[in-house]
Amino acid sequence: MPIIQVIARAIAATSLCSAMLFGCAPSDDGPGAVSTPSNVLDPQQVFALVSDDTSESDIRTAAASEGYRVLDRTHLAGLGLTMLSIEMTPGVSGKEAINRLESAVPASVVGVNHIYRPQQQSGTTGTLDYAGEMMKWPQNGCRAQTPVGIIDTRIDTQAPALGSAKIVTRQFFDGPATAADHGTNVATVLAGTGRLTDVTLYGADVFGREEGVGLAAGADALIKALDWMADENVRFVNLALAGPYNKLLDLAVDRAAKRGMILVAAVGNDGPRADPLYPAGFESVIAVTAVDVNGGIYRKAVRGPHVDVAAPGVDILLDTGSATRLVSGTSIATPFVTARLVGDQSLKNVRSVDGVREHLAATSTELGAPGRDSLFGYGLVIAEGICGN
């Protein structure tokens, strides 16, 4: 799942997705981007960014199996990444090498070494600025009306961006702790500067590293996490993950919804021809897709009649305080919607998914055909005037 536009931008980013269950994906070459010998330093080289030792080992193995040669390794301690320069065999294009390596190691980000030249423009773009402006978020954020749950990887509770949030965490799998990048990114969207204030986050760590599978969450872990959220009376729960239909999870989601829990989930990044992924595919879940700064659909987003709403999710500059990442995917769009719901004073006593869905339908801005459509649902979620501060 590629994340980042090109290698120079990737240096400021990190891979969010290590397993199929994540509803996130790296952004790759944007519209109109073309790699030619004139804008690539060495057409016979690609660069790979990885975030852990296992991924580095896997990318080296994949490169060797293709006959490629690893030329250099640079540890980027400040970014939490390792960069490998890889020389392809003669006759292999950069695009071919990228496809082969990323297909073999989905947790990697691979790109050619594009050339960049000075491009003068006035003004700068700060962390999450386009997302906040696009959604018309109140400048100082909104006071959380209720606690919010995050079912994801573990959260780095020491991340500077989360310093004002109260965070309660629990692990729902056996084994050592895994990377906290993804859960921390989601929590940062919810509780970072300009989003929710006075917020309590309940973080359910459901992802373990399975032999032969990698980072994965079982349906059993999700069900246990939902049960914990229900016990804690958490009303809004963010699920930036996706996977196949599971009848056990179906039942658990249905029970949670009937008890007043509002679940908000990423539609997933398997592409426009994919069948619905879950839990977003369940009727009792708010399904979120991603759009870019111009309101265009994220090209890898799953589509279908189950899509409810859209939120910014392409090239989001995310600053956790300890790392800066450029991220894309339905996974990063989802917490924008969850935050909007949690900050909305008019939803304080609404405990049905139908009620929330009707509210979103009435307050979102159309992006596609009139009414609900399979790309954008009811349109772009708007946060203007929602605060109960």
Side-chain angles (χ1 to χ4, degrees):
M1 297 181 184
I3 285 191
I4 305 168
Q5 192 170 8
V6 284
I7 193 67
R9 296 175 75 181
I11 293 177
T14 188
S15 172
L16 290 185
C17 308
S18 301
M20 173 181 135
L21 285 172
F22 278 108
C24 60
S27 56
D28 49 17
D29 287 348
V34 178
S35 296
T36 67
S38 65
N39 67 8
V40 176
L41 282 177
D42 187 341
Q44 284 305 117
Q45 280 189 32
V46 292
F47 283 74
L49 286 172
V50 294
S51 58
D52 55 70
D53 293 341
T54 299
S55 297
E56 179 180 351
S57 176
D58 290 347
I59 204 75
R60 287 179 178 274
T61 299
S65 69
E66 295 288 347
Y68 306 161
R69 187 163 63 102
V70 176
L71 299 177
D72 190 44
R73 175 187 185 276
T74 304
H75 181 53
L76 306 170
L79 301 175
L81 297 169
T82 296
M83 183 167 64
L84 303 174
S85 61
I86 301 171
E87 183 181 58
M88 297 93 77
T89 52
V92 175
S93 69
K95 182 177 181 179
E96 290 170 333
I98 291 167
N99 288 339
R100 292 173 186 177
L101 293 172
E102 289 187 337
S103 294
V105 188
S108 67
V109 176
V110 184
V112 295
N113 197 13
H114 281 112
I115 296 169
Y116 292 84
R117 297 180 175 89
Q119 303 291 309
Q120 184 172 337
Q121 66 181 64
S122 60
T124 60
T125 299
T127 303
L128 296 173
D129 277 355
Y130 107 71
E133 292 171 7
M134 189 176 185
M135 290 180 65
K136 300 182 181 179
W137 265 96
Q139 185 174 2
N140 296 321
C142 283
R143 181 178 177 273
Q145 301 297 309
T146 180
V148 56
I150 302 172
I151 299 180
D152 211 291
T153 69
R154 68 185 178 90
I155 298 169
D156 178 4
T157 58
Q158 301 304 310
L162 301 176
S164 64
K166 177 183 177 182
I167 305 175
V168 183
T169 63
R170 183 175 294 184
Q171 181 175 304
F172 291 93
F173 64 90
D174 295 326
T178 56
D181 289 351
H182 193 270
T184 305
N185 289 345
V186 168
T188 299
V189 172
L190 287 164
T193 303
R195 210 67 57 221
L196 294 175
T197 61
D198 298 327
V199 62
T200 298
L201 303 178
Y202 284 83
D205 181 3
V206 296
F207 282 90
R209 188 166 295 280
E210 302 290 335
E211 185 176 354
V213 176
L215 196 63
D220 60 337
L222 301 185
I223 292 168
K224 291 174 184 177
L226 288 173
D227 179 67
W228 178 52
M229 299 290 178
D231 281 344
E232 297 291 342
N233 197 31
V234 177
R235 287 186 48 225
F236 291 92
V237 177
N238 192 94
L239 297 113
L241 47 84
Y245 173 81
N246 180 279
K247 62 183 179 182
L248 301 174
L249 184 59
D250 192 349
L251 176 59
V253 166
D254 181 66
R255 292 290 180 90
K258 286 179 178 176
R259 285 161 172 74
M261 190 181 295
I262 308 301
L263 306 180
V264 186
V267 296
N269 304 321
D270 280 17
R273 295 181 177 83
D275 291 332
L277 296 176
Y278 298 85
F282 294 129
E283 176 63 25
S284 53
V285 174
I286 301 296
V288 180
T289 192
V291 293
D292 62 23
V293 65
N294 297 312
I297 194 70
Y298 178 52
R299 69 182 184 87
K300 295 184 179 182
V302 173
R303 304 175 187 184
H306 64 298
V307 178
D308 285 302
V309 288
V314 179
D315 288 342
I316 301 295
L317 185 63
L318 195 66
D319 186 358
T320 64
S322 54
T324 300
R325 303 177 174 94
L326 188 68
V327 296
S328 295
T330 59
S331 188
I332 208 65
T334 302
F336 282 111
V337 176
T338 304
R340 181 253 180 270
L341 297 176
V342 173
D344 191 337
Q345 60 179 333
S346 70
L347 294 175
K348 192 171 184 178
N349 297 314
V350 177
R351 299 187 71 90
S352 75
V353 68
D354 288 339
V356 170
R357 188 173 280 127
E358 289 171 6
H359 181 77
L360 289 173
T363 57
S364 297
T365 297
E366 293 279 10
L367 291 175
R372 190 177 186 180
D373 64 70
S374 63
L375 268 71
F376 307 104
Y378 292 109
L380 177 69
V381 166
I382 299 298
E384 186 175 27
I386 67 170
C387 288
N389 295 28

